[in-house]
Amino acid sequence: MQDAITSVINSADVQGKYLDGSAMDKLKTYFATGELRVRAASVISANAAAIVKEAVAKSLLYSDVTRPGGNMYTTRRYAACIRDLDYYLRYSTYAMLAGDPSILDERVLNGLKETYNSLGVPVGSTVQAIQAMKEVTAGLVGADAGKEMGVYFDYICSGLS
Ligand SMILES: CCC1=C(C)/C(=C/C2=NC(=C\c3[nH]c(/C=C4\NC(=O)[C@H](C)[C@H]4CC)c(C)c3CCC(=O)O)/C(CCC(=O)O)=C2C)NC1=O
């Protein structure tokens, strides 16, 4: 896993150089948003279950996936879906704190598309639910932190598609 700091330092080290102006600017932006990130993470963790629940209500309930024959039908599969959304929210929060998406590649997206395809989990509905979480989260943490979280929610969606 990388974060905004290690990623800037690693790329300078590869060239055997001190950080240049644009690398310093990246670090400055990251440090300047540190408090915003920490505050957003604590709001999200205090409201995680409610965020997932509201996103499901906005995107999946009463759709084809929850009806008989749908991939979320039966309590076991419904619970698996809620659990997956909770993973996406938690790992997006980690990535937002780190300011870097690499944790998503390593711990969430690795092999996920293949798993979903083999189990018939619909990617389109999953993306809709993640987009709904993005809206609900932005409503709670405010526009700036919401935009930053949006980067990582979108990263998961493009990794799935
Ligand atoms: C932390 C990293 C991590 C991820 C991301 C993860 C995902 C993941 N979701 C799974 C299943 C599943 N995922 C879903 C999800 C959904 N079905 C829908 O229709 C909805 C659109 C959607 C929710 C948004 C469902 C229903 C299953 C169970 C499918 C089945 O067993 O038939 C499975 C198969 C094994 C299992 O059932 O637990 C994995 C590995 N596991 C992990 O360890």
Side-chain angles (χ1 to χ4, degrees), residues 40 43-44 46-48 50-51 54 134-143:
V43 172
I44 293 167
N47 294 282
I51 293 171
E54 197 180 331
K134 181 166 122 179
E135 282 174 37
V136 174
T137 304
L140 271 175
V141 298

Side-chain angles (χ1 to χ4, degrees), residues 71-72 76-77 80-81 83-84 87 107 119 121-122 125-126:
N71 191 263
M72 256 180 110
R76 179 189 71 77
R77 288 205 294 263
C81 177
R83 178 212 57 196
D84 285 7
Y87 286 149
R107 305 202 194 155
L119 290 169
V121 176
S125 305
T126 304

